[in-house]
Amino acid sequence: MAPKTLTAADLGPKETDQAYLCAKCGMCLQVCPTYQLTGREAMCPRGRVQLLRGLLESRLELTDNLRDMIYTCCGCNACYVNCPSGVDVEKLINEARAAMRAKGVELPAGQEAMRSRLADVSNPFGLDRAERAAWLPPELRKPRTAETCLFMGCSISFANNKTGKTILRILEKAGVDFMLLGEEEECCGDPLVRIGETQLAEAMIERNQARFRRYGVRRIVTPCAGCVKSFRRHYGGFESRHLVEWIADLIDEGQIKPRKPVGRKVIYFDGCDMGRQLGIYEPPRRILRAIPGIELIEYDKSREFGQCCGGPLISYDPEMASAVSAQRVAEAAEKGAETIAAACPTCFLNLRSGGQASGQRIDVQDVMALLYRSLKGD
Ligand code: SF4
Ligand code: SF4
C-alpha cells in the first residue's frame, strides 16, 4: 500500500523552507484561477501551502482528496508575482508531486490517463504516433541535418495542424532554412514534469536531445510555450526560442512584410508560460502591431499579471479547464475585443473550448493565423 505522508526529507530543505515562508496574508487568493472558480481555501495558493505544511508536520494524512488539491494547481505562478514573501508555489507544488510519485502515490485518474498515453505513444492526446507527421509535406516528414529545428510540439501536431500549416507557409515566404524532426519528434517532456513523473520525463528528454545532436541542431524554435520552457529548464547545449521571437525579428529585418489590412480589434492573451515563465511579452505584440488594421487592446491584468486560461487543468478535469477559460473570454468581451490572439497552442485550444462551452461568440486566433491573413497573395 502507498505511503500516506510526505516528510521534509521527501521534499528537500529548499522546498520545505518555501512552505514555511508563507505568512498567510492572502494576497494571492484573488489571482488564483482555481480559487476564483471554486472559492475553496484548499484550492488557493495559501491553502495548498498549508496542506503541505500539515503533511510535513504529520498533522494531515495524504488522502486522495488532499492529493487532488495539489494536482489542481495550474502552475500558473500568478500567486508568485503577487506574494510579498516570495513563495514559489509552482516550484513547491512540482517538487511535492515528484516526491509523491517517488513514494508511489497514485496520480489522479485524468493525469494517470495522460501519463499512460505519453508512455505509450509519446503524446498527451493518445493518438497514433504516425499522425504526428501525417499532415506535413512529404519532404518535411523525415529529419535532415540543419542548424535550426522547428519543433512543432504535440498540440500543434495532433490538435491544431491548421496552425502548423500556416506556420510553414509563413516561414516559406520568409525564405529561411530549418528542419523538422517530423516522424521522430516526441513530446518535450513538460507535461510529465508537471505531474511529477520525473523518470519518464528524463528518458523522453534524453531521446529528444540525442536526436537534436544527431542532426547537428544548434537552435530550436517552437510555437509552443511549454516546449520552450522545457528546453530552457531541462535541455542542455541548444539555443531555444519561441516562434514569435523569430517571426518578430524577421518582420523587423524585412523578410516578412505584412501588407493586407486585418480590420479587427484584437486582445493579446499573455499565457503563463509565455509570460511569467519565459518573459516573452513584446514579440507577439510587435507582430500584431505590424499587421495593418489591427487595433491592439489589453486585458486589465496583462503581462506578468496576466490570468491563467486554465489549460493545465485539461488533463485533470476538462470542464474545470473550460470554466476558467470562459472567464478569460468574458473579460476579453467586456473590453470590446473581437478577437483573442494567443501565441501558446494550449491557451488557444482552451480559450476556444471555453468560449464555445459558455456560448460566447468571440473569435480566438493564433497570432500566426492573423499574420498570415496579412501576407496572403504576396
Ligand atoms: S500557481 Fe496558479 S493555480 Fe497554482 S496556486 Fe498559484 S495561482 Fe493558484
Ligand atoms: S501571498 Fe504568499 S505569503 Fe501571502 S498567503 Fe499567499 S503564498 Fe502565503
Side-chain angles (χ1 to χ4, degrees), residues 22-28 46 82-85 87:
C22 175
K24 306 182 196 170
C25 68
M27 298 282 284
C28 54
R46 178 178 67 188
N82 286 279
C83 174
S85 305
V87 182

Side-chain angles (χ1 to χ4, degrees), residues 69-296:
M69 298 306 102
I70 302 302
Y71 271 92
T72 50
C73 169
C74 298
C76 71
N77 244 2
C79 47
Y80 179 63
V81 295
N82 286 279
C83 174
S85 305
V87 182
D88 191 340
V89 177
E90 185 233 354
K91 194 155 186 294
L92 179 58
I93 294 279
N94 279 351
E95 291 295 333
R97 290 172 178 174
M100 286 188 217
R101 289 300 288 154
K103 294 192 83 172
V105 174
E106 287 173 8
L107 291 165
Q111 280 140 332
E112 170 53 33
M114 181 181 73
R115 187 208 62 78
S116 156
R117 293 191 293 266
L118 281 158
D120 291 347
V121 285
S122 286
N123 72 79
F125 301 97
L127 294 169
D128 195 290
R129 284 171 199 265
E131 285 189 38
R132 185 183 286 278
W135 58 276
L136 289 169
E139 68 278 13
L140 291 177
R141 287 182 198 162
K142 294 202 185 302
R144 66 174 172 83
T145 299
E147 286 206 349
T148 301
C149 172
L150 177 65
F151 190 94
M152 278 294 183
C154 300
S155 294
I156 295 278
S157 300
F158 290 99
N160 185 13
N161 67 41
K162 191 172 171 214
T163 298
K165 289 173 188 163
T166 300
I167 292 167
L168 294 178
R169 288 189 198 110
I170 293 171
L171 292 175
E172 190 181 11
K173 282 179 183 294
V176 290
D177 183 55
F178 63 90
M179 57 79 99
L180 281 90
L181 289 181
E183 291 166 357
E184 291 190 29
E185 187 179 296
E186 61 182 307
C187 173
C188 69
D190 182 58
L192 290 169
V193 173
R194 280 180 187 266
I195 59 172
E197 200 61 29
T198 313
Q199 281 186 355
L200 207 51
E202 283 171 356
M204 209 168 246
I205 288 165
E206 188 39 55
R207 288 197 296 274
N208 274 327
Q209 291 193 120
R211 290 182 190 106
F212 291 139
R213 287 193 291 267
R214 190 179 318 139
Y215 295 108
V217 172
R218 300 167 67 92
R219 180 176 181 241
I220 313 164
V221 184
T222 171
C224 178
C227 294
V228 186
K229 187 183 74 180
S230 185
F231 296 143
R232 291 190 186 166
R233 282 188 182 177
H234 307 298
Y235 290 58
F238 310 98
E239 181 199 349
S240 54
R241 300 186 88 191
H242 191 280
L243 180 69
V244 291
E245 297 180 283
W246 195 20
I247 298 287
D249 286 351
L250 289 169
I251 291 173
D252 286 353
E253 290 157 11
Q255 281 178 260
I256 295 174
K257 297 187 179 86
R259 287 204 182 96
K260 287 210 180 122
V262 178
R264 309 286 293 166
K265 198 167 181 178
V266 175
I267 198 161
Y268 174 67
F269 182 80
D270 286 289
C272 308
D273 281 348
M274 286 295 285
R276 280 182 290 275
Q277 297 291 351
L278 298 169
I280 304 175
Y281 299 113
E282 280 312 309
R285 289 176 169 84
R286 272 161 59 206
I287 296 171
L288 293 169
R289 280 192 214 105
I291 301 171
I294 282 188
E295 183 191 344
L296 183 60

